[in-house]
Amino acid sequence: GLELSHCVGTNSLGPAGPWRAGGPCKMKRVRTVFKPEQLERLEQEFLKQQYMVGTERVDLAATLHLTETQVKVWFQNRRIKWRKQSMEQKAAKLSQFGVIQPASADSTDSKDHEEDTVDVEL
């Protein structure tokens, strides 16, 4: 899952990043496809704790034959999904009681958690 595809575009606009070559050839990371068994185990661990760090993350990555970065990014993205689902459930409950939630609530909540919006693997 950490392979890079070659020459996505012909120019390299913007700052060079770890997922892109410094020359005229733009590199793009190939998306990691998790096996069903890996996803099941990741979901089990997420139900226990939303944050996995240190040796726990290293051990889980080794057990699932993934890199530590893949596990870290999966947890980051899963927390974002969890927060979004929580907000939707809260909005649904409020609408049942006739309370209308302001539209700006989603944008302010997502700004508070920008560190979790990383979807790039190194």
Side-chain angles (χ1 to χ4, degrees):
L2 294 178
E3 297 175 24
L4 298 175
S5 59
H6 298 287
C7 291
V8 174
T10 55
N11 61 2
S12 60
L13 298 174
W19 60 91
R20 199 188 307 189
C25 181
K26 191 186 204 181
M27 304 294 272
K28 184 178 178 186
R29 183 189 59 80
V30 176
R31 182 181 172 144
T32 301
V33 179
F34 295 99
K35 295 176 184 169
E37 305 82 38
Q38 292 171 323
L39 288 172
E40 186 178 333
R41 178 68 189 277
L42 288 163
E43 288 288 350
Q44 286 174 358
E45 293 300 325
F46 185 80
L47 289 174
K48 292 181 200 172
Q49 56 187 13
Q50 281 83 36
Y51 290 84
M52 171 127 340
V53 294
T55 56
E56 291 176 325
R57 184 166 61 205
V58 172
D59 292 343
L60 181 61
T63 301
L64 297 177
H65 306 292
L66 297 169
T67 66
E68 187 181 352
T69 302
Q70 287 172 315
V71 172
K72 180 185 87 169
V73 171
W74 185 89
F75 268 83
Q76 289 173 334
N77 290 334
R78 186 61 181 86
R79 285 192 297 271
I80 293 165
K81 181 179 176 181
W82 179 73
R83 284 189 197 107
K84 184 178 177 186
Q85 289 170 337
S86 297
M87 292 293 288
E88 288 170 355
Q89 287 174 356
K90 189 185 289 185
K93 283 182 182 178
L94 290 174
S95 67
Q96 277 183 330
F97 298 109
V99 178
I100 299 170
Q101 190 176 21
S104 63
D106 283 344
S107 63
T108 54
D109 183 61
S110 64
K111 286 179 186 172
D112 293 340
H113 303 289
E114 282 185 24
E115 75 279 358
D116 283 346
T117 60
V118 178
D119 192 26
V120 174
E121 295 177 15
L122 305 176

